[in-house]
Amino acid sequence: MATSRTPGTGLLGYLESRKNLAGGVCGIVGLGLTLTGAAGTYWPLVVAGLYGAGALIAPPERPDPPRPGGPTEKLNVVRDRFGRLREYLAEVELPAPAEGRLAKLMELYGALLEPGWVADALAAEPDAVHALSRAIEQDVPECVDTYNRTRWWTRLTPGGESPERHLERQLSLLYEEGERVTADLRETEARRQQTHTTYLEERGRS
């Protein structure tokens, strides 16, 4: 199975490079011209010049594509975004009921992202990490932003369902989603515990 690799450094790296290979091919052409007499007495310059031209026109080396980050690295990205979200929310004003719901939601997210065995369990569940990342990066900021914009228009033209009610409902839905993520993680740990119990029982009978 073919694998891609980045050429080494130093002399060995250059010998393996595209520039050296292209220059070598052009240099061989120069030697061919020398053997046919076309290069004349200046054949060393012809060979060197063709080698240099080949090295110059060769395409640059393509490094290996970056490897995707592991689960822990991805969770660190989510944790960093969560920190920025908290800084942003500290500067906005919300009505008391929505502010209370938001505080509970942020507390839940913070507990899941707190470094430790809970975060390790979360990192092992890509769907849970995706749901949390989406909520932190997109959903919560969108809830707050649309509330502030809609409230501005409502002040000009009162009527219709209040922006506050929409905001409270949105935050409640996000909290329910966070609870489902937490319940799934808890269920995973319960299955793990049951599996170990079964293993010990079977080992004891053997």
Side-chain angles (χ1 to χ4, degrees):
M1 181 175 63
T3 58
S4 61
R5 64 186 179 88
T6 302
T9 58
L11 178 60
L12 180 60
Y14 181 75
L15 292 176
E16 296 177 342
S17 68
R18 295 182 181 184
K19 290 185 176 297
N20 182 54
L21 294 177
V25 171
C26 292
I28 292 175
V29 173
L31 290 176
L33 294 175
T34 300
L35 294 177
T36 60
T41 58
Y42 298 100
W43 68 268
L45 295 177
V46 172
V47 173
L50 288 174
Y51 174 88
L56 287 175
I57 65 175
E61 301 294 336
R62 291 183 299 178
D64 291 336
R67 297 180 179 179
T72 301
E73 182 177 344
K74 292 180 180 178
L75 199 62
N76 286 337
V77 173
V78 178
R79 192 177 287 120
D80 179 67
R81 291 171 178 168
F82 177 66
R84 285 181 286 177
L85 175 62
R86 296 181 71 171
E87 293 176 358
Y88 163 69
L89 294 176
E91 299 177 359
V92 300
E93 295 183 4
L94 300 176
E99 189 172 0
R101 285 178 169 83
L102 181 61
K104 289 181 60 179
L105 181 63
M106 299 299 287
E107 183 180 357
L108 177 61
Y109 290 163
L112 290 172
L113 291 171
E114 183 71 24
W117 67 268
V118 175
D120 293 341
L122 174 64
E125 300 294 332
D127 290 342
V129 174
H130 173 71
L132 199 60
S133 175
R134 179 181 57 196
I136 290 172
E137 185 177 5
Q138 300 176 13
D139 296 331
V140 174
E142 182 69 11
C143 290
V144 176
D145 290 344
T146 54
Y147 162 74
N148 284 323
R149 290 195 298 266
T150 307
R151 184 181 60 168
W152 188 89
W153 287 108
T154 302
R155 289 174 177 173
L156 295 180
T157 56
E161 192 169 4
S162 68
E164 289 77 8
R165 291 189 60 182
H166 276 292
L167 177 61
E168 292 168 20
R169 180 59 180 153
Q170 291 168 355
L171 295 176
S172 295
L173 290 171
L174 287 174
Y175 188 81
E176 291 171 6
E177 181 185 60
E179 285 187 319
R180 288 194 297 271
V181 169
T182 304
D184 290 342
L185 294 175
R186 182 174 62 243
E187 180 63 25
T188 299
E189 292 300 319
R191 288 198 301 268
R192 179 181 177 186
Q193 185 184 38
Q194 180 60 46
T195 299
H196 191 59
T197 300
T198 303
Y199 162 72
L200 292 176
E201 290 173 347
E202 292 178 351
R203 190 175 72 179
R205 289 193 292 266
S206 62

